[in-house]
C-alpha cells in the first residue's frame, strides 16, 4: 500500500512545485551534451521497473547502465541540501519521501541487474560522462563473444535483457 501523497501547504506552493521540470533539466542537458560529444548513443526517460511512472533519465540498454541525474534540493544531496525553515515538518517529510523513493528505485534496479550511476547537479558534466563511459564500456558485451554465441544463446540473452 502506498502512503498518502503529500499536499503542498498552500495553493501558491503547489503551483510552483507543479511548474518544476521533470525532464530536460539544466543539469541533465549539460550531461547529455557531454555524452553526445563522446559520440555515444543512449535512451532517455525509460521506465525500467514495473512501476511505469518511475523513469530513468539516461539509459544504456545493452550495458544495463542507468543514470539518474538528481537535483541537490529535491533529492537531498548530502553535501548541498538545505531544508526550508518555514513549514519544516512538511518539507522534511517531502524530502524524506523523495530520498526513500530514490533508494527504492536504486535497490530494485540493482536487483534487476542494472548498474545505477547517480550524477548530482553540482557534479562536473565532463567528469560524470567519463565515469559513465568507463562503466558502460566495462559492461558492454564483447563483440567476439556475441558472434561466437549460438542463435539460441543470443535469443536467451535478449530475453534476459529486455524481458520478452
Amino acid at each position: 500500500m502506498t502512503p498518502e501523497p503529500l499536499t503542498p501547504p498552500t495553493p501558491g506552493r503547489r503551483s510552483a512545485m507543479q511548474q518544476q521540470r521533470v525532464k530536460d533539466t539544466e543539469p541533465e542537458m549539460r550531461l547529455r551534451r557531454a555524452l553526445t560529444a563522446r559520440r555515444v548513443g543512449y535512451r532517455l526517460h525509460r521506465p525500467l521497473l514495473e512501476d511505469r511512472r518511475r523513469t530513468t533519465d539516461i539509459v544504456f540498454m545493452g550495458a544495463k547502465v542507468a543514470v539518474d541525474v538528481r537535483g541537490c534540493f529535491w533529492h537531498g544531496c548530502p553535501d548541498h541540501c538545505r531544508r526550508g525553515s518555514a513549514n519544516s515538518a512538511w518539507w522534511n517529510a517531502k524530502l524524506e519521501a523523495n530520498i526513500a523513493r530514490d533508494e527504492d528505485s536504486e535497490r530494485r534496479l540493482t536487483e534487476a541487474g542494472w548498474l545505477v550511476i547517480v550524477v548530482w547537479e553540482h557534479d562536473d558534466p565532463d567528469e560524470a560522462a567519463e565515469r559513465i563511459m568507463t562503466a558502460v564500456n566495462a559492461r558492454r558485451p564483447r563483440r567476439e563473444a556475441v558472434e561466437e554465441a549460438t542463435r539460441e544463446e543470443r535469443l536467451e540473452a535478449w530475453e534476459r535483457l529486455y524481458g520478452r
Side-chain angles (χ1 to χ4, degrees):
M1 185 169 150
T2 57
E4 287 276 326
L6 294 168
T7 305
T10 65
R13 175 59 51 204
R14 182 174 180 356
S15 174
M17 289 175 68
Q18 287 176 327
Q19 293 177 27
Q20 288 291 317
R21 293 189 81 120
V22 175
K23 299 178 181 178
D24 304 330
T25 62
E26 187 55 37
E28 182 185 328
M29 295 303 293
R30 286 194 309 263
L31 178 59
R32 285 166 46 186
R33 282 191 289 273
L35 289 168
T36 301
R38 287 160 177 78
R39 300 188 188 279
V40 62
Y42 50 83
R43 307 282 181 169
L44 297 174
H45 311 293
R46 295 290 174 165
L48 300 176
L49 300 170
E50 306 82 45
D51 181 355
R52 307 288 291 174
R53 290 186 56 165
R54 294 186 191 182
T55 61
T56 303
D57 297 320
I58 301 171
V59 179
F60 296 87
M61 297 298 285
K64 288 190 87 166
V65 174
V67 180
D68 191 13
V69 182
R70 295 182 185 169
C72 289
F73 175 76
W74 293 107
H75 296 273
C77 170
D79 297 331
H80 299 105
C81 182
R82 267 189 32 240
R83 297 186 181 207
S85 57
N87 203 4
S88 62
W90 185 86
W91 278 111
N92 285 336
K94 170 67 177 158
L95 296 178
E96 290 303 322
N98 289 355
I99 293 167
R101 186 183 60 244
D102 290 339
E103 289 171 350
D104 179 58
S105 294
E106 200 169 327
R107 178 188 54 78
R108 290 169 56 194
L109 285 167
T110 301
E111 288 172 357
W114 288 86
L115 172 64
V116 179
I117 298 176
V118 175
V119 177
W120 291 98
E121 73 175 302
H122 63 263
D123 290 344
D124 179 79
D126 289 315
E127 290 175 11
E130 281 302 313
R131 192 176 67 200
I132 293 164
M133 292 314 306
T134 299
V136 167
N137 290 331
R139 292 176 59 99
R140 192 173 276 155
R142 289 190 353 256
R143 184 169 220 76
E144 305 85 42
V146 172
E147 290 171 354
E148 292 170 6
T150 65
R151 182 177 190 280
E152 291 78 23
E153 290 170 333
R154 288 194 302 267
L155 286 173
E156 286 174 16
W158 178 267
E159 289 174 0
R160 276 195 311 275
L161 283 173
Y162 303 107
R164 293 190 184 139

